[in-house]
């Protein structure tokens, strides 16, 4: 049984938990009633399950092939699947209708995105990067650039990429050397090498629009001298047809542990023609539109790969007959019981289920706040913007960490079979591992959280988050039926608050304390977010049960909520204890002592 | 810089911590003074670093090739390295001198084993399996079998394998179908298929001795009807020369995520000639000699791969220049600081260092007890045997879990580079993952621990372990200089004891409670073992410091001990809290709810 989209869970989250029909005053939602969204996601599920999932494994086995003429051949069937996708408009779900998009809310596109990333992470990166370029140009491009590029990016006729990394700089973009020389016609000549460019070259589209960070001659050193350029593979004539081949070429592909179906290109720009996007030396700001979107997309991807891996593990655990239940045979007529009867197998599946369902809620709840950034209510808008800043690093790092963990659990459930490439577990594990690294390694997300996001606007975002949780606890604390979940949330939030105050007191006097605490703090933050999601889900499920709804889904949701509190949340104390030990011991050894 | 053997640490552990010269009354130690052992390990380090490490990566890239004539070609240079190894006698360090071995203690062979497994895990499995066959035949074979096989296995002229798994049975050996039909000449005809046979076929040796579990016609069902057979690839003539090719053939190799250099064979036996080893229907008991050895070897392997991965991460972290230290530039003349200055990179390296050095002590301390099973003192012998039973599952599962974790941290330190196959991090991660699965998946180790080992002989082993720790705490508790380490040990041991009592009270009434608690309990056990190792190491290091020894090694060891207490041990509470929630929620859902 291949990947199955979690439609029932989406329906619960969007209908019962988030209740999207409450937001009809927000742009995008007016035309996205819960009923319509259900239909869209059902259709999307058919596409993800029927068209994308079947090409995932062959894509891993075949990989992409680079040719000496700088072209790249994607795995068999991928081009066709891409064309089916763009013909149906799936790539443009949330894009601006002015440029041909469907204008759906982010909650819809991020539900659909989970399905495509679970069906094939490597495949979904092609439209994902294109959408990122769309967003960056939409936010920062000139009217002419928007008119020239956006319709084709939205239609999927052209692809897009983001070019940041160079051999000498990954995280530290201040070291960028790619240079841009101004030309008399207002364009620039771009020269340099960019590496690890996802979807950098392929055979899906006639043109590829590269967004490239480069340094204009004479610009200040460091990140303050970086500008953003749009560099098309083929120049675009005034009438929109394709002109000359630009000197932006793929010089090779990386040989990677996973996501083999995605072409990770070495891009060489030699006097390639490019145009400035936004202001000179403001390139990082412009690229951050794309990077923030990519970070959310990567968190979603980690969760999604974990989801697919979990499903494969469940299937294996139900089918594989080994040993007998400790409490007596459960399959007495068979040679052995299915391994799902064994508590330790159950533990791995329940850990996964609690993390995945909690993470799924976290993604959609965050997507809701992305949508609320366009609310007509200024207070709602401000809070939503604050949340997006605060939660993006948490979502990216926590969900990719946990996604990889779930993929590893899925392999463990498979036993030796999982280590062979005859079963899907290996691909999920290998694919999931990159999500912890790219779009800002998880340690960078943690630094972003403690170093920038917490303190922004005098800590307004985190205080707002704490206030919301306090409100939820106050409102629901007396409800006996959901008390364990509300109390667990209150206790976890108190730990996060404790950690936050510790950071305020100790991080400023010695920034190494903040760095040393950052990953444990972020993980504690992720646990708090999931505790909140589980409390909200328990509340919604309990309301259904109390109303006499006999669908076992709700009672099962409450059981998983209980498991989360019992078996996942206890880690919170350890993270708080670790971070509060500070940086002294961590930083004590000389480099030579390692 | 490729793999560097941790000779300084071995010297500290064998000299200052374990002090092997105290054991000269135990067989093997009389001829293995600390000074001699040092020389042996220095020589061994040269071999591992100079001969084995260089072929590890090409072995991963090339893999093994199966030919339709049932032969297997190993990667280039592997055969030559193997011959160098056996010519120098490295494979026979701890084998019985009666059969040509060197009779060295297990502490020596397990120190050497760490070096070879770190240099190349896939390569070291070939002599590792051969040694396992040697041990099983040494313990259970007839005199004739010993005379026929042991000298050639010890010399490395022949290889060996263990054949347990069949397609329908991995963990559950009761389902074995391979059958053995008695022949008039006392031999048996073996027919069946075995899968995942490590080192199953190769071009290193003239002959391969397969130990095969099979069911004699008419034997009882389940594990009580399994017998052990020796099935040589080539039959052996009375004069020791090779005779007829036996019908034991490699029908193909598994395509695996890692350990590509080791041939994981599908073995097909068709009326292959074999001979019973030990008693009829006592095959599992005979095979357990080999399995227990393999479990220790696998724990050692997980640790060793983690060690090599950590070393690669350290090298990368010192070389890679990205960003500036939060407390001001540390490399002001360079374009950026080496990333080892960043606390979160430091966190990953220190986590690894604390786990690896603690694990290294744990392996050697366990190896000491393997040796003490031959002590002339019966009480020492009994305790050592008890410990080996109790600690084998802990060492196997805890060190492989942590080894994989360390390999994943090493990839994270590498960032995007680590995900490409240009750097060694991917191979270490892929190679390490199997150690959690084979030789009994880690969940099986946890069940073995809580279901069999704890209760054996009325809990004698665990009480003995607790008593030893209590003795250490009583003896050293008043030493102010090492108080933090002794107190942390006492506190962690108290948690393990709490968990042990919980299991006694709750596991018997409902075995699912034991199963549900097993992995957290085992992990808590592993943490306790490492806490004890770190307390012993801190004591030895502190004694040197107090005596005025200026070698910075000792102060560094104390720093790492402190880090272990501050940043690793806090997980103990979470494991105890989780296990004590029992199995009710974990087992509540129906299989359909997943």
């Amino acid at each position: 049984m291949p990947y199955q989209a979690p439609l029932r869970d989406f329906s619960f989250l969007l209908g019962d938990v988030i209740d999207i029909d409450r937001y009809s005053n927000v742009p995008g939602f007016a035309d996205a009633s819960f009923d319509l969204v259900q239909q869209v996601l059902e259709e999307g599920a058919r596409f993800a399950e029927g068209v994308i999932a079947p090409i995932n494994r062959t894509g891993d086995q075949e990989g992409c092939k680079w040719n000496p003429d700088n072209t790249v051949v994607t795995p068999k069937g991928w081009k066709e699947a891409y064309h089916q996708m763009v013909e149906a408009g799936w790539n443009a779900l949330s894009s601006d209708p002015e440029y041909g998009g469907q204008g759906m809310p982010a909650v819809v596109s991020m539900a659909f995105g989970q399905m495509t990333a679970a069906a094939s992470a490597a495949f979904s990166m092609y439209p994902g990067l294109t959408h990122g370029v769309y967003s960056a140009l939409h936010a920062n491009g000139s009217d002419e650039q928007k008119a020239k590029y956006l319709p084709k990016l939205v239609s999927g006729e052209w692809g897009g990429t983001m070019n940041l990394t160079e051999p000498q700089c990954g995280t530290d973009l201040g070291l960028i050397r790619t240079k841009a020389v101004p030309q008399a016609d207002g364009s620039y000549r771009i020269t340099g090498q960019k590496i690890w460019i996802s979807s950098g070259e392929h055979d899906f589209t006639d043109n590829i629009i590269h967004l490239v960070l480069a340094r204009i001659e004479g610009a200040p050193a460091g990140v303050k001298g970086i500008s953003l350029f749009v560099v098309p593979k083929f120049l675009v004539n005034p009438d929109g047809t394709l002109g000359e081949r630009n000197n932006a070429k793929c010089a090779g592909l990386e040989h990677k542990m996973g996501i083999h179906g995605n072409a990770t290109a070495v891009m060489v720009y030699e006097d390639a023609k490019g145009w400035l996007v936004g202001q000179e030396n403001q390139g990082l700001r412009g690229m951050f539109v794309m990077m923030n979107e990519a970070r959310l997309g990567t968190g979603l991807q980690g969760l999604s790969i974990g989801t697919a891996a979990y499903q494969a593990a469940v299937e294996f655990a139900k089918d594989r007959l080994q040993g007998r239940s400790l409490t007596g045979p459960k399959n007495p007529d068979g040679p052995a019981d299915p391994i799902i009867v064994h508590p330790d197998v159950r533990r791995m599946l329940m850990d996964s289920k609690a993390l995945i369902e909690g993470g799924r809620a976290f993604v959609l709840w965050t997507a809701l706040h992305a949508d609320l950034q366009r609310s007509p209510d200024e207070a709602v808008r401000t809070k939503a913007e604050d949340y997006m800043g605060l939660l993006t690093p948490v979502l990216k790092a926590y969900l990719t960490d946990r996604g990889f963990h779930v993929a590893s659990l899925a392999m463990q459930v498979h036993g030796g079979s999982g280590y062979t490439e005859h079963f899907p577990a290996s691909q999920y594990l290998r694919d999931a591992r990159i999500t912890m690294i790219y779009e800002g390694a998880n340690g960078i997300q943690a630094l972003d959280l403690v170093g920038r996001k917490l303190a922004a606007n005098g800590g307004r975002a985190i205080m707002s988050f704490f206030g919301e949780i306090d409100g939820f606890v106050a409102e629901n604390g007396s409800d006996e039926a959901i008390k364990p979940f509300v109390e667990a949330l209150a206790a976890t939030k108190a730990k996060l608050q404790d950690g936050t105050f510790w950071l305020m007191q100790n991080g400023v006097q010695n920034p190494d304390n903040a760095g040393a605490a950052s990953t444990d703090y972020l993980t504690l933050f992720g646990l708090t977010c999931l505790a909140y999601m589980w409390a909200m889900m328990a509340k919604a499920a309990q309301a259904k049960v109390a109303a006499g709804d006999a669908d076992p889904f709700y009672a099962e949701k409450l059981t998983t909520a209980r498991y989360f509190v019992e078996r996942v949340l206890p880690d919170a104390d350890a993270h708080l204890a670790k971070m509060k030990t500070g940086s002294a011991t961590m930083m004590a050894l000389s480099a030579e002592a390692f």
Side-chain angles (χ1 to χ4, degrees), chain A:
Chain A
M1 193 172 68
Y3 171 67
Q4 289 206 305
L7 286 172
R8 181 66 187 86
D9 221 28
F10 284 144
S11 158
F12 170 66
L13 292 170
L14 297 177
D16 302 331
V17 181
I18 292 179
D19 186 9
I20 59 171
D21 283 343
R22 286 188 295 168
Y23 298 101
S24 56
N25 66 325
V26 177
F29 282 96
D31 301 324
S33 69
F34 175 67
D35 290 341
L36 176 75
V37 167
Q38 289 253 78
Q39 289 171 33
V40 169
L41 293 181
E42 280 168 23
E43 220 27 73
R46 264 192 288 276
F47 186 80
E49 294 169 357
V51 177
I52 304 180
I55 58 173
N56 189 43
R57 190 151 162 215
T58 51
D60 180 56
Q61 290 162 343
E62 286 178 38
C64 292
K65 288 185 187 64
W66 178 84
N67 295 316
D69 64 356
N70 307 107
T71 59
V72 166
V73 180
T74 55
K76 202 174 156 206
W78 281 46
K79 187 176 170 174
E80 291 73 17
Y82 177 79
H83 286 142
Q84 273 189 264
M85 172 178 246
V86 300
E87 274 156 31
W90 289 116
N91 56 312
L93 265 186
S94 64
S95 304
D96 188 344
E98 193 182 333
Y99 299 101
Q102 300 182 37
M104 297 286 272
V107 288
V108 179
S109 61
M110 288 185 76
F112 178 72
Q114 287 177 59
M115 299 193 280
T116 53
S120 176
F123 179 86
S124 66
M125 291 167 69
Y126 290 99
L129 270 297
T130 302
H131 193 273
V133 172
Y134 153 82
S135 297
L137 287 176
H138 194 273
N140 299 290
S142 66
D143 288 344
E144 189 197 334
Q145 287 168 342
K146 289 187 195 178
K148 183 180 271 184
Y149 298 112
L150 294 187
K152 301 279 193 179
L153 290 166
V154 169
S155 72
E157 282 169 89
W158 295 351
T161 75
M162 57 196 289
N163 292 243
L164 292 80
T165 306
E166 300 179 8
Q168 78 289 354
C169 66
T171 296
D172 188 351
L173 294 172
L175 302 176
I176 278 179
R177 288 185 199 142
T178 296
K179 66 174 181 187
V181 182
Q183 305 296 306
D185 65 357
S187 71
Y188 290 77
R189 289 288 175 182
I190 313 286
T191 301
Q193 190 191 26
K194 295 286 181 177
I195 61 171
W196 304 341
I197 309 308
S198 297
S199 319
E201 178 60 56
H202 54 76
D203 51 11
F204 288 180
T205 57
D206 296 334
N207 204 3
I208 300 174
I209 310 307
H210 304 292
L211 284 186
V212 182
L213 288 182
R215 197 178 289 287
I216 296 173
E217 279 193 322
V223 291
K224 290 175 182 161
I226 297 175
S227 302
L228 180 62
F229 297 89
V230 57
V231 185
K233 177 178 170 184
F234 285 95
L235 301 185
V236 181
N237 296 323
D239 66 355
T241 58
L242 296 187
E244 188 189 339
R245 174 74 162 93
N246 206 351
N247 208 356
K249 294 193 170 159
C250 171
L253 297 180
E254 296 290 347
H255 181 41
K256 311 183 300 292
M257 189 170 81
I259 52 165
H260 294 156
N262 196 274
T264 306
V266 176
M267 292 298 300
V268 173
Y269 297 87
E270 284 179 3
D271 280 334
K273 203 159 188 175
W275 289 268
L276 184 67
V277 178
Q279 302 295 307
E280 271 187 30
N281 301 333
Q282 301 287 322
L284 267 196
R285 190 179 299 179
M287 194 61 114
F288 252 105
V289 173
M290 187 164 186
M291 282 162 70
N292 279 328
E293 179 175 318
R295 287 172 177 191
L296 292 173
T298 303
L300 174 155
Q301 192 186 27
L303 170 72
S304 303
I305 300 171
T307 305
Y310 160 75
Q311 290 189 358
V314 167
E315 186 186 354
F316 189 88
K318 289 180 184 176
D319 285 353
R320 177 76 169 167
L321 306 179
Q322 291 288 283
R324 290 295 183 188
S325 164
L326 298 172
T327 53
K330 300 293 180 284
N331 176 34
D333 300 334
D337 289 340
I339 62 171
I340 200 169
V341 306
H342 302 308
D344 197 62
V345 171
R346 207 46 100 98
R347 173 187 64 78
M348 296 190 274
L349 296 179
M350 287 298 294
D351 275 359
S352 304
K353 189 173 166 67
L355 290 166
I356 285 168
E357 294 179 11
R360 186 177 292 144
F362 185 27
V363 165
L364 293 188
W365 180 76
T366 305
L368 173 70
H369 289 94
D371 289 321
L372 293 179
Q373 293 178 113
R374 296 188 292 161
S375 167
D377 180 336
E378 191 189 336
V380 171
R381 263 197 330 266
T382 301
K383 182 181 157 186
E385 284 162 8
D386 283 351
Y387 271 29
M388 292 313 290
L390 184 70
L391 298 173
T392 295
V394 178
L395 190 148
K396 193 279 179 183
Y398 184 72
L399 292 188
T400 58
D401 268 354
R402 298 298 88 195
F404 178 68
H405 175 66
V406 166
S408 186
L409 289 176
M411 176 173 283
Q412 196 67 19
V413 170
H414 279 81
S417 301
Y419 196 67
T420 72
E421 301 288 352
H422 295 293
F423 285 81
S426 168
Q427 181 183 0
Y428 292 133
L429 186 79
R430 290 183 287 100
D431 285 358
R433 189 62 186 78
I434 188 58
T435 64
M436 296 160 70
I437 297 174
Y438 64 14
E439 306 310 340
N442 286 357
I444 297 300
Q445 305 298 330
L447 269 188
D448 179 45
L449 176 65
V450 304
R452 299 175 59 228
K453 300 304 178 56
L454 278 186
N457 302 307
R460 194 175 66 195
I462 183 76
M463 296 318 292
S464 171
F465 179 68
F466 287 152
E468 177 172 338
I469 293 180
D470 288 342
F472 182 90
V473 170
E475 191 184 320
N476 300 286
S478 57
D479 184 345
E480 280 300 321
I482 59 169
K483 203 166 189 174
F485 314 111
V486 177
E487 282 181 351
L489 170 62
T492 311
K493 178 252 168 186
K495 287 165 200 165
L496 182 65
Q497 194 158 344
D498 185 350
T500 308
F501 290 152
W502 186 92
L503 275 174
M504 289 162 73
Q505 284 159 3
N506 297 278
V508 179
Q509 65 177 51
N510 178 1
D512 273 352
N513 280 331
S518 59
T519 288
D520 281 302
Y521 180 78
L522 183 146
T523 309
L524 178 56
F525 207 134
L527 280 167
T528 308
C529 291
L530 258 60
Y532 184 31
M533 298 302 119
W534 274 114
M536 285 196 286
M537 290 193 283
K539 179 182 175 177
Q542 177 59 33
K544 291 285 182 178
V545 170
D549 196 315
D551 186 341
F553 177 89
Y554 298 109
E556 289 161 9
K557 195 59 88 173
L558 287 163
T559 296
T560 310
R562 203 164 293 119
Y563 186 90
F564 176 82
V565 169
E566 292 177 357
R567 292 266 178 175
V568 179
L569 268 188
D571 288 332
D573 283 316
H575 293 296
L576 182 62
K578 289 179 192 183
M579 66 172 277
K580 288 170 91 171
T581 63
S583 63
T585 308
M586 185 184 284
M587 304 304 287
L589 295 184
S590 69
E592 293 68 40
F594 286 89

